[in-house]
Amino acid sequence: MTRHFWRQDLHPEPPRGWLNDPNGLAWFGGSYHVFFQYCPGAADGSGPKCWGHWESPDLVHWTFTGAPLQPGGPHDKGDAYSGSAIEEKGLLWLYYTGNYKAPGPYDYIHAGREHNTLRVAFDGRACVGEKQLLLSNADYPADCTLHVRDPKVWRGADGVWRMVLGARSLRDTGRVLLYHSPDGARWTLNRVLEKPGFGYMWECPDCFELDGRWYLSASPQGLPHGETRFQNVYQSGYFALDGAPETGELQDFFEWDMGFDFYAPQTFLAPDGRRLLLAWMAMPDAEYQNPTAALGWQHCLTLPREVWADGAGRLCQRPARELDALCGDFGALPAALNGPARLQGRAGQDGELCVGGLRLRFAPDAGMFVMDFTDGSGAGRGVRRAPVDKGPLDFDLWVDRSGAEIYLNGGRTVLSTRFYPPEGPLPLTARGLRAQYAPLRPMEVTERAPLF
Ligand code: FRU
């Protein structure tokens, strides 16, 4: 069977069905494990959600192994929703949300829903042992709605296990619940982190230390949209904390990615200590389309990215350096792209780069970068504006078969988008900027006969 020309070469994408959030990201047993929210049987995401799974030794070679975590137990009757993973005693413990919606005339916010926090062990190939119920709705603070989900678990240097959960309060305020545990099984609430007026629900929280400062990442819903901020239906970003998670206050919120398609990121540590990030390269409830849905699959993850701190409370990103192995030699820009490519350059004045219908406009004097489409390949995507520092604007653009990520000014600002160009070479035009081109080789993806 020939590969469809919209099949991504560098972005993890399931062989069939629907993907959403990255889950359970971990280095374990000598490889990376990347789980994800998966509906194998329904490309529109309408089926029960399980956890799909890839394994990779190096972020370049990937094996899809199927869907080792399935819902259907007493506490995850409907779906195995998002969560994280942590190694303990030779096993990878998967922490996740058991979702259930009871049939009936419910609003599923205040009634008719269960969000249980569960864990189960994974031995590198399959889930082993019982699913353990850790917390259920009755255990969360009384002023939470039934929306409490997406556990991210880590162990502190002090040996204390910590977990953040995303939640919606009865006053419709997004918040994060911080729990402590001596052993990963018994959890007590330590603190509620919130910023009243900043959205009604915070999904997929993450909390990590980078260069001596703590950060809280979350995906808030319900922020008012602006011209150059919060342009998507929902947002994903991070707050620096001015102290430890137990005591620090939330500082300014910065968006991880200013493009059309980025949501629910999760970070984890590479064995060499780098903090890596993957996100869902899509936007839930957006007005724009993803025409692969009609072909039997929908959505992918972003490139694996490295995250580092700039020292002033801002985080920077770049594609994980392992992906540099896929990059050929740089040379002059061709008239058209015949496959995935990396374009690097600098705009010292107003300039424009068009890759097929994807138009990237650089306005360094105005301190602005604009992404839009000159044809229908954006499938309904309009325009995204990203303020940047005034002055020459550096870029590193990674173009895949139906998506692109652009890293501006050393990764201080990033924009990601899906786009669906017609089959064939993609015309390339550049005006007012210096740029060079290198071809990108595809990642190698194999599919192991699923065990499940
Ligand atoms: C974010 C999210 C999570 C939830 C999962 C369900 O995209 O809504 O909050 O656990 O997706 O698939």
Side-chain angles (χ1 to χ4, degrees):
M1 213 174 67
T2 56
R3 214 174 136 76
H4 194 277
F5 57 92
W6 285 334
R7 273 277 176 202
Q8 297 279 51
D9 276 343
L10 293 112
H11 289 83
E13 186 177 62
R16 68 198 78 82
W18 158 284
L19 164 151
N20 58 298
D21 316 351
N23 292 158
L25 307 179
W27 173 263
F28 168 70
S31 33
Y32 290 102
H33 294 267
V34 173
F35 296 87
F36 59 95
Q37 286 286 282
Y38 189 29
C39 275
D44 64 359
S46 59
K49 299 260 172 81
C50 57
W51 283 28
H53 176 245
W54 286 288
E55 206 181 308
S56 170
D58 54 8
L59 304 175
V60 166
H61 300 82
W62 295 78
T63 304
F64 174 76
T65 76
L69 174 53
Q70 294 287 342
H75 306 295
D76 59 359
K77 290 195 281 280
D79 308 88
Y81 268 8
S82 284
S84 58
I86 184 168
E87 183 174 353
E88 167 79 347
K89 297 200 179 101
L91 290 169
L92 190 66
W93 288 88
L94 311 183
Y95 286 77
Y96 68 102
T97 299
N99 180 63
Y100 175 62
K101 283 164 104 171
Y106 298 116
D107 69 355
Y108 299 112
I109 301 168
H110 306 92
R113 181 189 281 273
E114 287 178 23
H115 271 171
N116 299 308
T117 302
L118 300 163
R119 73 169 188 173
V120 66
F122 175 76
D123 67 3
R125 290 181 75 83
C127 287
V128 290
E130 296 289 300
K131 292 173 176 172
Q132 301 171 5
L133 175 66
L134 307 174
L135 297 168
S136 60
N137 288 99
D139 302 313
Y140 307 131
D143 64 341
C144 284
T145 63
L146 299 176
H147 284 253
V148 179
R149 58 175 174 268
D150 308 337
K152 175 74 197 280
V153 175
W154 77 100
R155 242 181 333 253
D158 55 4
V160 175
W161 294 61
R162 291 172 171 81
M163 171 167 69
V164 280
L165 288 167
R168 171 176 184 161
S169 80
L170 290 174
R171 288 170 288 112
D172 286 336
T173 300
R175 47 165 55 174
V176 163
L177 313 179
L178 172 66
Y179 282 82
H180 278 192
S181 169
D183 55 9
R186 293 167 294 142
W187 294 91
T188 44
L189 182 70
N190 176 270
R191 180 182 187 201
V192 178
L193 290 109
E194 57 185 2
K195 206 173 180 91
F198 202 74
Y200 60 81
M201 170 71 195
W202 293 359
E203 296 190 306
C204 298
D206 193 355
C207 191
F208 53 87
E209 192 181 9
L210 212 49
D211 287 345
R213 194 190 287 245
W214 283 90
Y215 296 86
L216 179 72
S217 168
S219 293
Q221 302 184 324
L223 300 182
H225 303 300
E227 278 276 294
T228 59
R229 270 199 108 182
F230 309 153
Q231 295 160 87
N232 286 324
V233 183
Y234 307 130
Q235 321 306 325
S236 294
Y238 58 86
F239 305 94
L241 287 163
D242 64 356
E246 287 72 20
T247 53
E249 293 305 321
L250 301 177
Q251 308 296 297
D252 293 342
F253 181 84
F254 294 105
E255 290 169 68
W256 282 111
D257 190 297
M258 303 295 288
F260 294 95
D261 292 285
F262 183 98
Y263 195 65
Q266 185 174 114
T267 73
F268 69 114
L269 286 178
D272 62 6
R274 282 173 300 158
R275 187 151 289 274
L276 302 181
L277 174 148
L278 283 156
W280 181 23
M281 195 170 176
M283 182 53 54
D285 302 330
E287 70 282 9
Y288 35 85
Q289 303 301 311
N290 294 294
T292 65
L295 303 167
W297 83 95
Q298 190 173 189
H299 302 315
C300 62
L301 299 181
T302 60
L303 299 174
R305 302 177 179 180
E306 293 176 22
V307 180
W308 71 97
D310 74 350
R314 283 286 292 273
L315 298 177
C316 301
Q317 303 165 68
R318 57 158 286 173
R321 65 196 65 172
E322 286 84 344
L323 302 187
D324 290 344
L326 299 173
C327 186
D329 293 335
F330 277 99
L333 289 192
L337 298 183
N338 285 306
R342 187 172 177 185
L343 305 178
Q344 280 186 340
R346 163 175 278 221
Q349 59 190 53
D350 283 5
E352 187 176 294
L353 185 62
C354 290
V355 182
L358 172 64
R359 179 165 63 176
L360 306 171
R361 281 180 287 167
F362 303 78
D365 293 339
M368 192 57 69
F369 173 84
V370 180
M371 172 187 267
D372 64 2
F373 294 89
T374 58
D375 62 10
S377 62
R381 287 160 182 79
V383 58
R384 290 292 177 266
R385 298 185 178 85
V388 289
D389 292 337
K390 286 189 182 169
L393 191 44
D394 290 322
F395 65 90
D396 187 9
L397 171 66
W398 292 62
V399 183
D400 204 341
R401 302 246 169 214
S402 59
E405 301 187 16
I406 187 162
Y407 295 77
L408 299 169
N409 286 342
R412 278 176 66 79
T413 304
V414 189
L415 292 93
S416 301
T417 189
R418 298 304 302 271
F419 73 118
Y420 301 91
E423 190 168 13
L426 275 182
L428 196 62
T429 59
R431 182 175 61 69
L433 44 83
R434 283 196 286 125
Q436 51 176 357
Y437 150 91
L440 288 169
R441 276 188 300 282
M443 300 184 314
E444 284 177 37
V445 186
T446 52
E447 202 173 328
R448 187 190 291 159
L451 286 173
F452 323 100

